[in-house]
Amino acid sequence: MQHFAMFGYCMVVHECSCMLLLNRWAISSLYYNMGENRKITRSRLVTSKLLHRQHLHGHGSVSEVSSLVDETLGKRPLNGQKDTLVYSVFASTWNVGGITPSDGLDLEDWLDTRANAYDIYVLGFQEIVPLNARNVLGPKKSCASAKWNSLIGEALNKKEREERAKLNQDSTNSGAKEGSMQGEGFRCIRSKQMVGIFTSVWVRSNLRPLIHHLDVSCIGSGIMGCLGNKGSVSIRFVLHETSFCFVCCHLASGGKQGDVLLRNLDVADILTRTWFPGLASQELPEKILDHDQVVLLGDLNYRISLEEAETRSLVRAKNWAILLENDQLLFEFSTGRHFEGWQEGLITFSPTYKYQPNSDQYYWCFDSARSEKKRAPAWCDRILWRGKGLKQVQYETCSYRLSDHRPVRAVFHAECDVLSETEGMVQK
């Protein structure tokens, strides 16, 4: 029945797509012709998917766009001398493989809260629910996102709760000390789920009044080129006078020859179709690349262009240099065709996929593993960035064994312009 429902739904989407404009023909044809020039052959299924996308995305109605604008903040002044403040931004991506976290899952190591406390946390998930027909075509909301947000909040605010508990034990000084703690802790300013993609943004409580024009945009690029099993959830906001955009992606999967073209097409699709609402009274960035500082993270699914046996041999030897020379995403960087202006930190960690869950071993190491799932390791999970005043200071993975992917995290220093005449300095 699920297969029949999927087929019926896709037929409806196909019928509707005939009425859409064809203004993305040039973009899709570019990627298709590139594949022809490189003599990349694919099955009829992949070719059909590419051609179908050329006809599909000509209308904004195929993307889910929702927004949340804070109306409580006053108008921003038009004049004034600009100063600069530097904030720390923690960004991480994690494909959790459709596994529901346990109630006691400790996220402190992942969020690095024991050693550090950052100003902004941007957390991007993929596959917070299994990508089956029921979840792709069914209700848009699930309890999985609420569960993850609850665990994140517990980890980020654990220190504050412990300090408050100690103060409450001191009946003599509790009033004064509790007053001095007002405004501390972290708040979730926006979170959004699209099928398995989930983005959650947290900030220090005393930064919330300085953040405005908070919006979200969702783009589905999966089945039939529009469903949400693949695509992106983007959240943007303006802090002081600097605009930020954080894009959480799950791109086309597959390690076959030519699958990289589908991933490139997904990126172009997301950058083209993502849109944020503007205001007539103010010039606001409407597209991803219009923002001052942009971070793109997720399961980008780029693989290593070597035979699987050779890849596994190099992984055993921990020969990251040769593997990275054949990394598909780094190759796209070097050609300058699809990621012009984007940057990525130096990769010094092991490939992030595909692990045996609850193990430090790659899946192909297990004799009992199904042969079709014994995929060669790859750096599928990545974090990219662009923009003046944004500097990456850390790029690494951490050893959570929940799924077949390892989470990847990065820390940035972000410079923000501040109108000193009207906005007070935030004490760090």
Side-chain angles (χ1 to χ4, degrees):
M1 291 297 291
Q2 287 183 348
H3 294 292
F4 178 79
M6 174 72 77
F7 178 77
Y9 185 90
C10 292
M11 288 296 293
V12 173
V13 174
H14 181 72
E15 292 287 339
C16 295
S17 69
C18 295
M19 303 173 59
L20 302 179
L21 300 176
L22 304 181
N23 61 357
R24 294 198 62 250
W25 177 273
I27 294 176
S28 300
S29 297
L30 173 63
Y31 288 110
Y32 182 74
N33 291 334
M34 284 167 43
E36 290 295 313
N37 293 337
R38 293 171 60 184
K39 297 182 179 180
I40 295 177
T41 60
R42 291 297 315 276
S43 66
R44 292 183 179 179
L45 178 62
V46 173
T47 302
S48 175
K49 183 178 179 181
L50 281 168
L51 292 175
H52 183 75
R53 285 193 184 188
Q54 292 171 354
H55 293 273
L56 184 60
H57 300 311
H59 196 277
S61 64
V62 296
S63 68
E64 176 193 359
V65 179
S66 60
S67 64
L68 177 65
V69 179
D70 193 337
E71 301 292 347
T72 63
L73 299 177
K75 294 183 179 180
R76 294 156 58 205
L78 299 178
N79 299 313
Q81 183 178 357
K82 289 186 178 181
D83 293 325
T84 301
L85 289 178
V86 179
Y87 293 96
S88 58
V89 179
F90 178 100
S92 185
T93 175
W94 193 0
N95 185 323
V96 295
I99 298 174
T100 302
S102 63
D103 293 335
L105 181 62
D106 187 349
L107 299 182
E108 288 184 84
D109 286 340
W110 173 40
L111 301 177
D112 195 26
T113 56
R114 292 189 176 95
N116 299 287
Y118 305 98
D119 299 307
I120 300 170
Y121 288 81
V122 180
L123 308 173
F125 296 85
Q126 303 82 44
E127 297 189 45
I128 64 166
V129 295
L131 300 184
N132 53 39
R134 179 180 179 181
N135 288 326
V136 173
L137 299 175
K140 295 181 179 180
K141 294 183 179 180
S142 75
C143 60
S145 56
K147 183 80 172 286
W148 279 108
N149 261 353
S150 176
L151 292 171
I152 293 166
E154 288 179 10
L156 292 180
N157 293 305
K158 182 177 179 179
K159 286 185 177 180
E160 182 189 21
R161 290 196 306 272
E162 290 176 346
E163 290 178 4
R164 288 188 181 277
K166 291 179 180 179
L167 289 173
N168 289 336
Q169 294 177 358
D170 188 346
S171 58
T172 304
N173 299 320
S174 61
K177 289 185 178 181
E178 285 181 359
S180 66
M181 293 180 63
Q182 290 181 0
E184 296 184 9
F186 291 87
R187 292 179 55 187
C188 179
I189 61 170
R190 194 69 168 98
S191 64
K192 180 66 176 179
Q193 178 186 356
M194 181 185 72
V195 189
I197 304 173
F198 177 56
T199 307
S200 186
V201 178
W202 297 67
V203 303
R204 291 184 181 276
S205 296
N206 59 352
L207 285 186
R208 182 62 187 92
L210 306 176
I211 291 174
H212 44 94
H213 299 109
L214 180 62
D215 298 286
V216 61
S217 176
C218 301
I219 300 297
S221 63
I223 300 170
M224 301 298 292
C226 67
L227 296 188
N229 58 304
K230 294 291 192 294
S232 65
V233 173
S234 302
I235 294 179
R236 79 89 176 270
F237 58 81
V238 181
L239 174 58
H240 298 294
E241 304 299 308
T242 299
S243 60
F244 292 82
C245 186
F246 299 97
V247 186
C248 177
C249 301
H250 195 183
L251 305 185
S253 60
K256 296 179 182 179
Q257 189 180 36
D259 282 335
V260 65
L261 295 179
L262 299 182
R263 292 187 269 277
N264 292 343
L265 182 60
D266 279 350
V267 173
D269 200 24
I270 289 165
L271 295 178
T272 300
R273 294 169 56 208
T274 299
W275 175 85
F276 299 97
L279 293 176
S281 59
Q282 286 183 301
E283 291 186 5
L284 291 171
E286 295 185 350
K287 308 295 289 183
I288 290 173
L289 299 183
D290 295 337
H291 291 77
D292 297 320
Q293 300 179 11
V294 185
V295 176
L296 185 149
L297 50 82
D299 181 0
L300 305 189
N301 255 321
Y302 286 94
R303 308 301 171 91
I304 297 170
S305 295
L306 293 172
E307 293 294 331
E308 289 194 359
E310 184 178 1
T311 299
R312 290 166 181 160
S313 177
L314 292 168
V315 169
R316 287 191 190 98
K318 297 186 177 181
N319 193 332
W320 308 145
I322 295 180
L323 288 169
L324 289 170
E325 286 177 3
N326 293 276
D327 178 82
Q328 292 176 349
L329 180 55
L330 293 183
F331 176 80
E332 298 301 327
F333 267 110
S334 67
T335 63
R337 288 194 298 257
H338 314 298
F339 292 93
E340 183 178 0
W342 292 92
Q343 301 182 64
E344 183 183 24
L346 181 65
I347 295 176
T348 60
F349 45 86
S350 306
T352 60
Y353 173 85
K354 176 180 176 64
Y355 285 88
Q356 173 75 8
N358 301 311
S359 168
D360 287 324
Q361 298 294 318
Y362 289 105
Y363 195 80
W364 54 267
C365 296
F366 289 80
D367 294 334
S368 60
R370 290 173 10 191
S371 59
E372 69 270 20
K373 296 293 186 179
K374 289 188 175 183
R375 296 162 185 161
W379 285 280
C380 291
D381 310 278
R382 312 288 276 268
I383 301 176
L384 315 180
W385 86 95
R386 60 180 292 146
K388 182 180 179 181
L390 190 64
K391 178 183 178 182
Q392 190 183 71
V393 296
Q394 184 177 327
Y395 193 34
E396 63 185 10
T397 187
C398 46
S399 58
Y400 276 74
R401 303 175 181 87
L402 180 71
S403 74
D404 55 355
H405 289 252
R406 290 291 185 265
V408 173
R409 61 191 182 190
V411 176
F412 299 90
H413 289 168
E415 295 181 0
C416 288
D417 292 331
V418 182
L419 290 178
S420 57
E421 292 183 4
T422 58
E423 294 185 357
M425 297 296 183
V426 177
Q427 300 297 322
K428 296 300 199 69

